[in-house]
Amino acid sequence: MIDKKERQNIIKKLVRDKKIKTQDEIISALKKRGVKATQATISRDISGLGLDKSKNGFYVLAEDVHLAKMMRDFVDEIVMANNLILVKCSAGAAPGFAAALDKIKWKEVLGTIAGDDTVLMITSDKMSAKLVQEKLKMFNLLN
């Protein structure tokens, strides 16, 4: 039997990896992973995780919505160079954007460095950088 934190981590991964619209879909996906949960439990988890619905009806995490808003409002350009991703932001916005990235904790990102208007994301290899670049593009769809 798994604890609440583990269950909620699975739900976070499900919401990020799949397009989930209903609590029943969450319950079903958990069941496929051998995790039993009631609708009431899932409802509390949704509230506790700060899940919200995107404009197209899918569950999204609060930190993902925050990052999407930051991208819409402050990001001007994203450039990949080998295992590095350079994010050009509005003046003064880079530290906040880097903090939003760090909160999401993408496993491909080894770290971020922020200046005033630029964030440098460091990944382990070019393939990871490409995946992160694609994830960043997906965040524009949340707006």
Side-chain angles (χ1 to χ4, degrees):
M1 181 125 178
I2 67 167
D3 66 8
K4 175 182 174 179
K5 186 172 179 87
E6 288 178 85
R7 184 183 62 249
Q8 288 185 345
N9 283 335
I10 294 169
I11 292 170
K12 284 173 86 169
K13 183 165 176 36
L14 287 169
V15 168
R16 281 197 173 124
D17 295 347
K18 300 180 181 288
K19 295 184 184 304
I20 296 187
K21 285 189 171 187
T22 67
Q23 291 183 11
D24 286 339
E25 289 177 35
I26 294 172
I27 292 169
S28 177
L30 288 172
K31 188 175 182 180
K32 288 178 185 175
R33 288 163 176 75
V35 179
K36 289 185 179 182
T38 65
Q39 186 277 328
T41 299
I42 298 305
S43 183
R44 286 189 297 272
D45 286 342
I46 287 170
S47 178
L49 289 168
L51 293 182
D52 203 356
K53 292 272 187 137
S54 67
K55 65 182 178 187
N56 46 12
F58 299 110
Y59 280 112
V60 292
L61 293 161
E63 60 258 28
D64 293 355
V65 172
H66 177 67
L67 181 63
K69 287 179 183 175
M70 296 276 298
M71 286 192 66
R72 180 190 65 224
D73 294 344
F74 302 115
V75 173
D76 298 323
E77 184 179 11
I78 300 170
V79 179
M80 189 182 94
N82 295 317
N83 69 316
L84 305 174
I85 299 169
L86 189 72
V87 182
K88 297 294 286 176
C89 303
S90 303
F97 185 72
L101 287 168
D102 291 343
K103 185 168 181 145
I104 288 180
K105 298 178 184 172
W106 284 334
K107 65 183 178 203
E108 300 86 6
V109 178
L110 299 175
T112 59
I113 300 171
D116 181 60
D117 64 355
T118 306
V119 175
L120 177 64
M121 300 172 69
I122 303 163
T123 65
S124 58
D125 55 38
K126 190 174 184 175
M127 187 71 107
S128 295
K130 185 70 175 162
L131 182 58
V132 170
Q133 185 181 36
E134 290 302 315
K135 285 181 176 184
L136 287 169
K137 287 179 185 176
M138 291 300 296
F139 274 89
N140 282 331
L141 300 178
L142 293 177
N143 293 317

